[in-house]
Amino acid sequence: MSIDRRTAVTGGIAAGLALATASAVTRATAAAPAPKGAPKKGVITVPGESPARTTIPVARDPRASGGAYLALGTADSPPARGGWYATYTVDVPAAGPYRLTAVVSVPVEQPHAEQPGSCLRLTVNDAAPIPLVHSQPHWYESPKAWGELSRAVLGDVELRRGANTLTFTVAGPTVLDAYTGYRFLLDEFTLTPVPVALRAVRVRERAGDPVDNLGHYRDDERATLAFELNAAAPEPLSVSYRLLDHSSKEVASGSVRVPAGATGAALPLPALPPGAYRAVAALGSAPKATVTGRFARLPEQRPVRGPANRFGVNVATYALVPPARLPALASALAALGVGHVRDGGSWPAVQRARHAPFAGEPYETALAAFQDHGLKVTEVVSPPPDWALTQTSVPLPADLRDAYRYAAHLAGRGGRAAADALQLSNEPDVDATASTGDQHAAYVKAAALGIADQPDAPPVVLPGIAQEGVFQELMLRNDVVRYADVWSFHGYPPLDDTDPEPSSAPEEQQELRRRFGVPGREAAMWMTECGAFLPAVPGGDPAYATQRTQARYLVMSTVESLAAGTDRQFWFCGPPCTDDGVSFALFSRAFQPLPAFSAYAALTALLGEANFAGLLAELLPRAAGFVFADGAGRTVTVVCAPRARSVDVPVPDGPTRVYDIMGAPRGTPPRSRRGTVRVKASRDPLYLVTDAPPERRPKPPAGDGRTRTRPLSPAEHIVLDQRFAAAESAPNKADGDAEPPLGYRLGGTTRMHLAVYNFNPTARTVTLTARPPAGWSVTPRRVTEVRVPARGRVRVPFTVTAGARVTTGVDHPLTFEARLGDEQVPPSVSLVQRRPRSG
C-alpha cells in the first residue's frame, strides 16, 4: 500500500486481519489509562442458542451455560442463501471497542478437542465480513470450557451505541476424522468494553496491497509502515515508534498523528538494508503499552527458480493455516526464495468407504495456491481412514490394495490438483503403535507401485524417517529403495538444547544409502524436516535471543546438510506452530516474519543453486568455511567461527563482496598476496561472494527428484507381507523410545500367514521360500505354484517354531523370498523374538 507521508487511514487498515492481533496486545492494554470517550463498563454475555436468525441447529447439554448451545456438525452442503450462519442482535450502552470472547469450537486440534471446528467469518453491522485468522498458537492456548469447546479470544470489534448485529458465518469445510464437513459449536459469547488502543503495526509494499501481505518487501520506495487502532480515535492521537534491526540497534524513530475519527495512520519506511526488523510502537495515551510489528526487507538479488532450487518449507495447511491466510503465505514463501513446500491432504476426507469413489477435498485449493506462486509441492500421503484399519494393521491399511488405489488416485490427479512429488509417510518410526519396519516396507512398495503405474508419475519419496535405528534399517533390508526416487530423512537437535549444533543425520543417512542403495543408481537425498525446538512463550513469541539462535541454526544446519550431500532441504516449519511447550516457525503468532525468515531469504538469494564445491579445511578449527557455486558463475563461501575473530579466507581471483547473515552488504575486503580476504567471523555466518567460479568442481545442480530410470518389473509388482496375530505383535514403539528387542513376540510354535500381493495387470504364479534364523524352523519351507489373481492377494499359511535353544528376548531376522519365473521378488524380512516361557 503506497500512502503519502503521514496520511491518516479512515477506513480501517487491513480489516480482514483486524481481529487477529487484538489478543496479542490484551495484556499490554489492560492496565492502560482509557482515552477520552472509552467505554468503562457494560460487559454483555449473549447465549449462543438464541440468535435472531440462523441456519444452524441447537443442541441440548447440561454443561452449556443455558443448558443448550448452537451445534453444527454435518457433511451437508451449506444452504444456498447465507450458508451456515447465526445472526445476533446486541444492544450496547456506549459506542467504542469491545473485546469479543466466546465459548466456542476452535479451528485447530487441542488436547481436549481432537476434532477442529470450521474457520469463521464475523460480520459487524453493515461492514464487510472479517475472517477470523488467528494462528494455531493462539487457538491452541485457548483453555478448555467444557467438552470440546474452548474459551477463546476472537478479537476487538467496534460497536455503535444501541442495537448492533453480529453474524458468525462458517467460512468453509474442515477435515474431520472421517469426512470433510462443517463444524461450529457456540455456547455463548461475551463483549467487554476496552480502551481505544494500538492494535497492530504492519508493513505494506505496494498500492492496493491486499490485507493478506505478511510483512515483507524489496522496494524501499513503495514500502509503508502502518499503525492500526482497534477503533476510531475519539480525539487526535499520537503514535511514537522505534525501528530496531536484527541486532536490536535502533535505525529510525519518530511519531505519526492519528486524526480524530481515523482508525490508523501510515508513513513511508526509510531506506533499509536487507534484514529482519522490529517496529516498537506506543500510543501517546498509553506509552507503556507497546506493540511490536515485525517485517523483512528482502535482498535485491532474486533466488533461483525451477528444479535447481534446493530449498523448501513445511507448511501443514490443514493444521496451521487459516484458508484466508493461504494466498498470503504462498506469496511470502515464494518471496522468501524457497522453491518447494511440503504438505499433505487427508485420505479419510476423500474416500468414505473402500469402494466409494474418490472425492475432491479442500487440500486441492492449497495445491493450487502454492502452484500459482511457482512453488513445487511435495505431498505426504496421509494415514488411512478407520475403515481400512484393523487391530493388527494400525496405522497402516490391512489390505495393501487400498494403499495402492489411494496412491494411484494421488498420482493420477491432473492439472493444479497434482502434487510434484509424493512422500509415502511421515516419521513412521516414532509413533505409538506396534507397527514394524517390514510392515511399513510392504506398504511403501504397494503405494509406490500405485504411483509408478500412472502415466507421467511424480517422483516417489521414501518415508520421512525421524532417526536412524532398527525400524529404518529393517525397512531398508526389505529392499524398498528400488521403488523410490528419493531417500528421505529428518534432522533435529536434542529437545533440551537451547543453543544447538546442526544434526548429524545427513552423515548418518549417507552411510545408510551406501549400504542399502540400488547399485548403479543413486537416489536423491532430501531432508524433508529440519528445525530447532524453541521454548514456547504462552501468549507471545519466543524470546528474541532465542529467535536469533533459530536464525543462526537455520543457516548453518542447511549449509552443513548441503555440504554432507543433501540435495534438498525443507525447514520445519513456516506457519506459526506450538506443540507441547515447543515453538517452531518462520513467522510470529501474528503471521509476521521472524529473524529466521530473513536469514533464509538471504541464504536462498546468495547461494543460488547452492552446488557444494568443498570445505575449507585450512580454516579449521579456528573457523569453518563452506564453498558453493551459485549457478551463475559466482563462488559463495559461507564462513563462521565459534567466537568473534579475524579470519583469512581463500577465495578465487575476482572481486569479493561480504554479506551478513541477513543479506545486508558489509563491504569489499582487500585481497592479500596469498589470495585471501580477511573478515571478522563469528557464530553468525558471513557470505563471501566472488565474481568467479569455484576452483574445485561443484556438485551438479539439483533436479526434480526423478532418479528411477526404468519401469518396475513384474517381479517388483509382487509384494510380500508377513502377518501375525495380535498376540504375537511387536512391542509398542513408544514414540521411538522403545529399546530392542522389537520383533514379533512368538511362542514355541506360531501360526502366521504371508500375504502375497500381485499388482500386475495379469495373474502371476510365484514360488515361496522361507529362510528362518538359526535355531528356528518354518513349515512348509517351500511353496510352489502360488497363483495370485491380477491386482489380487493370496494368504499362504506357515508355522514358525522356535528351537529349544533359542534365547528369549533377542531379535532374529525371518525372511521370506519369492521367485516369478527366473526373476527374484524383493524379500520380506521381519524381526522375531522368542517371548519368555510361561511358568
Side-chain angles (χ1 to χ4, degrees):
M1 182 183 294
S2 179
I3 305 175
D4 292 339
R5 182 177 297 274
R6 302 182 189 278
T7 299
V9 180
T10 58
I13 301 173
L17 302 182
L19 293 177
T21 53
S23 62
V25 298
T26 300
R27 294 167 299 164
T29 58
K36 181 179 178 181
K40 298 179 181 179
K41 59 182 179 179
V43 176
I44 300 167
T45 297
V46 179
E49 70 272 20
S50 302
R53 299 182 302 279
T54 188
T55 56
I56 299 173
V58 171
R60 299 200 172 276
D61 193 301
R63 296 171 296 178
S65 58
Y69 66 108
L70 213 61
L72 175 69
T74 182
D76 294 343
S77 298
R81 296 184 56 128
W84 299 116
Y85 78 94
T87 297
Y88 299 84
T89 300
V90 183
D91 283 329
V92 299
Y98 287 76
R99 181 136 307 141
L100 175 61
T101 60
V103 175
V104 66
S105 55
V106 300
V108 303
E109 292 182 0
Q110 295 177 282
H112 62 272
E114 295 183 359
Q115 295 256 73
S118 294
C119 289
L120 303 174
R121 294 191 301 269
L122 176 67
T123 304
V124 179
N125 295 321
D126 297 324
I130 301 170
L132 301 183
V133 288
H134 295 290
S135 63
Q136 181 265 355
H138 171 91
W139 295 120
Y140 185 82
E141 293 170 2
S142 300
K144 177 178 180 177
W146 60 269
E148 292 202 344
L149 283 77
S150 303
R151 197 169 301 278
V153 177
L154 304 187
D156 288 1
V157 294
E158 185 175 13
L159 302 179
R160 59 199 178 203
R161 182 179 179 180
N164 294 263
T165 60
L166 278 74
T167 300
F168 299 90
T169 305
V170 175
T174 188
V175 176
L176 303 169
D177 283 348
Y179 64 95
T180 297
Y182 303 85
R183 187 168 187 261
F184 174 45
L185 314 177
L186 178 62
D187 182 4
E188 64 181 19
F189 65 88
T190 299
L191 294 163
T192 303
V194 293
V196 172
L198 186 62
R199 170 163 40 208
V201 182
R202 307 183 191 280
V203 162
R204 299 285 179 263
E205 183 175 17
R206 57 190 179 274
D209 200 21
V211 298
D212 56 13
N213 179 279
L214 299 187
H216 55 85
Y217 71 97
R218 292 186 198 274
D219 191 338
D220 283 330
E221 294 183 0
R222 297 190 299 174
T224 60
L225 187 64
F227 304 90
E228 304 170 13
L229 305 182
N230 63 348
E235 60 187 5
L237 299 172
S238 176
V239 177
S240 60
Y241 68 91
R242 298 183 300 129
L243 299 186
L244 308 178
D245 68 7
H246 167 245
S247 63
S248 297
K249 177 183 176 182
E250 184 176 299
V251 296
S253 63
S255 63
V256 62
R257 183 174 178 272
V258 182
T263 57
L267 72 164
L269 276 172
L272 296 169
Y277 294 91
R278 288 170 293 159
V280 182
L283 202 59
S285 57
K288 294 183 179 181
T290 60
V291 174
T292 298
R294 294 169 172 84
F295 61 94
R297 166 66 160 89
L298 301 175
E300 297 295 340
Q301 186 169 326
R302 302 284 174 151
V304 168
R305 294 297 181 197
N309 186 295
R310 297 185 185 273
F311 308 109
V313 167
N314 285 268
V315 288
T317 52
Y318 274 155
L320 303 179
V321 185
R325 293 274 196 193
L326 186 56
L329 179 70
S331 174
L333 295 179
L336 170 66
V338 299
H340 311 268
V341 295
R342 178 174 177 260
D343 201 3
S346 169
W347 185 352
V350 300
Q351 193 180 20
R352 300 284 295 275
R354 172 165 286 118
H355 299 296
F358 292 102
E361 62 167 319
Y363 180 62
E364 293 175 10
T365 302
L367 277 169
F370 293 130
Q371 292 168 349
D372 286 347
H373 287 85
L375 298 166
K376 301 294 184 183
V377 179
T378 295
E379 180 175 351
V380 182
V381 178
S382 92
D386 288 345
W387 57 256
L389 302 172
T390 64
Q391 179 185 0
T392 57
S393 76
V394 173
L396 302 172
D399 188 336
L400 297 182
R401 290 171 293 183
D402 293 327
Y404 178 95
R405 286 188 286 264
Y406 178 59
H409 160 72
L410 295 180
R413 295 179 307 192
R416 300 196 322 155
D420 301 282
L422 288 169
Q423 185 170 32
L424 300 182
S425 65
N426 181 66
E427 297 192 346
D429 54 323
V430 293
D431 64 24
T433 73
S435 67
T436 58
D438 61 290
Q439 291 175 1
H440 211 81
Y443 161 80
V444 164
K445 294 172 186 178
L449 286 166
I451 297 166
D453 287 351
Q454 305 310 305
D456 195 26
V460 173
V461 184
L462 286 176
I465 293 296
Q467 57 197 25
E468 177 193 22
V470 172
F471 185 98
Q472 182 188 19
E473 186 159 332
L474 183 58
M475 190 177 73
L476 295 172
R477 290 172 68 179
N478 280 264
D479 206 5
V480 294
V481 179
R482 69 174 58 249
Y483 290 84
D485 298 276
V486 179
W487 185 295
S488 171
F489 62 98
H490 296 170
Y492 289 91
L495 181 62
D496 57 353
D497 193 342
T498 58
D499 192 7
E501 294 296 322
S503 166
S504 60
E507 292 83 3
E508 296 165 355
Q509 295 296 321
Q510 288 285 357
E511 176 57 29
L512 285 172
R513 185 173 66 166
R514 283 189 283 270
R515 291 173 54 198
F516 293 103
V518 177
R521 177 174 72 87
E522 192 170 84
M525 295 284 288
W526 290 5
M527 185 186 278
T528 49
E529 285 187 24
C530 173
F533 303 107
L534 308 181
V537 176
D541 296 309
Y544 192 67
T546 303
Q547 296 176 32
R548 292 190 62 181
T549 298
Q550 181 198 35
R552 183 188 307 123
Y553 182 85
L554 183 151
V555 174
M556 292 314 303
S557 62
T558 302
V559 166
E560 292 194 20
S561 180
L562 295 176
T566 302
D567 296 296
R568 185 155 294 141
Q569 184 98 347
F570 291 78
W571 180 255
F572 188 90
C573 60
C577 174
T578 296
D579 186 28
D580 289 336
V582 176
S583 180
F584 302 92
L586 300 175
F587 293 92
S588 72
R589 60 192 290 130
F591 275 93
Q592 294 182 338
L594 296 173
F597 179 95
S598 295
Y600 206 176
L603 183 144
T604 63
L606 295 171
L607 285 191
E609 291 185 359
N611 303 323
F612 182 63
L615 179 70
L616 295 179
E618 57 267 46
L619 299 186
L620 297 171
R622 300 182 73 251
F626 303 85
V627 181
F628 294 86
D630 73 348
R634 292 181 289 265
T635 298
V636 183
T637 306
V638 183
V639 178
C640 64
R643 61 179 179 82
R645 56 164 51 106
S646 294
V647 179
D648 294 324
V649 182
V651 294
D653 290 337
T656 298
R657 299 169 300 283
V658 178
Y659 299 85
D660 69 13
I661 185 174
M662 296 294 155
R666 291 293 180 255
T668 302
R671 178 184 298 273
S672 73
R673 293 181 180 179
R674 296 177 296 168
T676 63
V677 296
R678 176 164 290 184
V679 297
K680 189 66 172 292
S682 70
R683 299 187 66 198
D684 282 347
L686 296 174
Y687 300 90
L688 282 62
V689 180
T690 304
D691 293 335
E695 295 174 355
R696 285 175 276 189
R697 184 176 181 179
K699 182 176 180 175
D704 63 3
R706 288 181 171 85
T707 60
R708 192 171 46 77
T709 57
R710 64 167 180 81
L712 292 166
S713 70
E716 290 166 329
H717 277 70
I718 304 295
V719 176
L720 309 179
D721 185 20
Q722 299 181 40
R723 286 294 169 177
F724 294 84
E728 285 86 41
S729 63
N732 190 293
K733 295 193 293 295
D735 297 325
D737 293 331
E739 296 290 337
L742 299 172
Y744 299 111
R745 295 170 288 194
L746 309 188
T749 300
T750 302
R751 297 181 184 276
M752 53 85 67
H753 71 261
L754 182 71
V756 183
Y757 291 87
N758 172 24
F759 292 106
N760 289 288
T762 58
R764 299 285 176 163
T765 300
V766 298
T767 298
L768 304 177
T769 302
R771 307 285 186 194
W776 298 70
S777 63
V778 176
T779 56
R781 185 70 178 264
R782 181 179 173 86
V783 181
T784 60
E785 301 295 319
V786 177
R787 184 171 176 80
V788 189
R791 308 275 196 244
R793 176 184 63 180
V794 171
R795 297 183 180 95
V796 182
F798 289 88
T799 299
V800 182
T801 302
R805 295 186 178 182
V806 172
T807 304
T808 61
V810 177
D811 285 332
H812 302 274
L814 172 62
T815 303
F816 285 88
E817 298 174 347
R819 295 194 70 84
L820 177 64
D822 294 331
E823 255 193 295
Q824 187 73 37
V825 170
S828 172
V829 184
S830 72
L831 293 177
V832 295
Q833 57 173 305
R834 175 68 167 95
R835 66 172 176 255
R837 297 166 177 82
S838 60

